[in-house]
Amino acid sequence: TNWLFAMEEDQVQARADILRSESERAPAPVLCGAARAAALTAEHQHIADAVSAEARRRYCGVPAGVMAKLTPWPCYLVLEAHSQVVAGTNYFLKVRVSADGEPLECVQLRVFVSLFGDPPALAALRKGAAAAGALSYFAEEEGERST
């Protein structure tokens, strides 16, 4: 027999295991298409936390150059996340901002994380009825402030 095709039983099993694991692996994210995160991670919450002050400022309608003391949200918890690979990564995050026991209120954030280690940047925010819906791509600020 040809030595190239003669494989030991353990080699055959190892090859089969590798092929099986490759077929079970989650598909790669679609470039330039937003893909839902399989599970929320601490990274998603960390990214949301990094832009929470800017999100609160935009939510309240305070212009960027104006000094203002803003109270934090009673709750700030990521409920859902999608990501989009571009020249960096856009994260679409649905964040709960209402306290336990109150009606559910959410904001949706689009956060850009560059490839060069820059801090996460809030690109857009949805609030009100627009944020209560399904998480999807959005380009500009959307929604009205809920009361």
Side-chain angles (χ1 to χ4, degrees):
T1 63
N2 188 341
W3 66 273
L4 290 175
F5 298 106
M7 292 174 57
E8 299 293 324
E9 182 62 33
D10 58 336
Q11 291 174 320
V12 171
Q13 184 60 43
R15 182 177 185 278
D17 290 344
I18 290 169
L19 292 174
R20 187 177 59 256
S21 69
E22 287 292 320
S23 69
E24 293 171 354
R25 185 177 301 180
V30 178
L31 293 178
C32 298
R36 183 178 184 156
L40 293 175
T41 65
E43 179 187 18
H44 295 120
Q45 187 65 49
H46 175 72
I47 291 168
D49 291 344
V51 298
S52 65
E54 178 63 19
R56 184 69 170 157
R57 175 182 292 280
R58 289 190 192 182
Y59 179 87
C60 294
V62 177
V66 175
M67 295 295 292
K69 182 176 181 179
L70 300 172
T71 58
W73 278 294
C75 176
Y76 194 74
L77 179 67
V78 175
L79 301 177
E80 188 178 347
H82 291 200
S83 62
Q84 177 189 37
V85 177
V86 289
T89 304
N90 279 324
Y91 288 93
F92 298 89
L93 306 169
K94 187 171 188 175
V95 180
R96 178 185 180 142
V97 295
S98 58
D100 291 335
E102 293 181 5
L104 180 65
E105 182 178 2
C106 295
V107 293
Q108 291 185 16
L109 312 174
R110 181 166 57 94
V111 181
F112 178 73
V113 177
S114 79
L115 297 172
F116 305 107
D118 299 330
L122 181 63
L125 177 136
R126 274 184 181 163
K127 58 186 176 181
L135 186 59
S136 62
Y137 178 87
F138 59 100
E140 300 298 325
E141 307 293 318
E142 296 180 10
E144 297 299 321
R145 182 175 171 201
S146 301
T147 56

